[in-house]
Amino acid sequence: MIDPLKISVDLDDTLADFVGAATRILGASPVSGAHSLKAMYPGREAEVQALLEDADLYRSLPVILGAQEALREMVSRFGCELAYVTARPIGLSVVTAAWLERNGFPPGFVFCVGRANGSKAERIKKLEIQIAIDDYPPALDEITLLTEAKAIVFSQPWNLEYKDLPRIEAWETATDVFRSLVKEQEDE
């Protein structure tokens, strides 16, 4: 029997529109192209930190269009095993799992690594993930440097410099990108 392909998917700004929700609360960012909320809102560290820990915000995040359907198709078509690996605080694991279920995402393990629980790349390596989908430049760097996983960029304005990695422009196009990576994995 062939082991299922192990996939990790980030949540914020990959499956859930975190920056959009935060921008509606904090207003337009004075910094363009920043890849973190703290960099987007200099001088407002306390407000940003409060948002990063606000369980109600995470409960109410809108889903990025097409995400559930794309992941369900990946699981059904390719027999993938999913792990949702996020930098959210560890205390938000239950909130995160409930958000995924309420919004119709396929079942998978949920790992909130927070700051004190290691990096996403460490978790991805420990889980022996083969394909990792993320939007965040420092996470993409760590995944490519520290793990055997093939990184896929979920396109956001802050990660356009990643030209050498496979890219999902929108979830509607994910199956094509994924199909080519699955073929690569099978050929190895």
Side-chain angles (χ1 to χ4, degrees):
M1 182 167 131
I2 298 173
D3 289 335
L5 191 60
K6 294 180 180 179
I7 310 295
S8 75
V9 185
D10 176 45
L11 272 101
D12 297 320
D13 299 308
T14 302
L15 300 178
D17 186 11
F18 181 80
V19 168
T23 301
R24 284 188 285 286
I25 294 166
L26 297 171
S29 169
V31 179
S32 64
H35 57 69
S36 76
L37 218 51
K38 290 179 181 178
M40 289 173 65
Y41 295 96
R44 298 176 70 182
E45 289 80 11
E47 289 175 88
V48 168
Q49 191 59 43
L51 277 182
L52 292 172
E53 297 171 1
D54 183 354
D56 289 333
L57 174 66
Y58 290 101
R59 279 187 194 95
S60 66
L61 289 176
V63 174
I64 293 176
L65 184 66
Q68 308 101 312
E69 296 84 2
L71 290 183
R72 282 195 302 262
E73 184 174 348
M74 286 179 191
V75 169
S76 69
R77 182 180 286 188
F78 303 107
C80 303
E81 182 178 290
L82 287 177
Y84 299 98
V85 181
T86 176
R88 290 179 178 184
I90 298 165
L92 292 171
S93 295
V94 172
V95 168
T96 300
W99 182 89
L100 288 161
E101 183 177 347
R102 185 175 62 258
N103 285 292
F105 283 93
F109 298 102
V110 176
F111 298 95
C112 294
V113 298
R115 288 192 204 115
N117 201 24
S119 72
K120 286 195 259 183
E122 290 169 354
R123 177 59 62 177
I124 287 166
K125 185 174 184 171
K126 188 174 188 174
L127 293 170
E128 299 178 344
I129 295 293
Q130 294 152 294
I131 297 175
I133 304 169
D134 209 303
D135 70 295
Y136 188 55
L140 291 163
D141 291 343
E142 283 192 349
I143 291 164
T144 57
L145 291 172
L146 303 176
T147 77
E148 297 294 318
K150 180 73 173 177
I152 300 177
V153 179
F154 185 78
S155 194
Q156 292 289 0
W158 49 83
N159 62 33
L160 298 177
E161 73 273 13
Y162 289 85
K163 307 267 189 231
D164 295 334
L165 295 175
R167 177 175 293 275
I168 296 173
E169 294 292 342
W171 281 109
E172 293 80 11
T173 66
T175 303
D176 294 335
V177 172
F178 198 71
R179 184 181 301 116
S180 68
L181 288 175
V182 168
K183 181 155 177 34
E184 283 179 24
Q185 291 286 333
E186 290 171 348
D187 292 345
E188 290 179 0

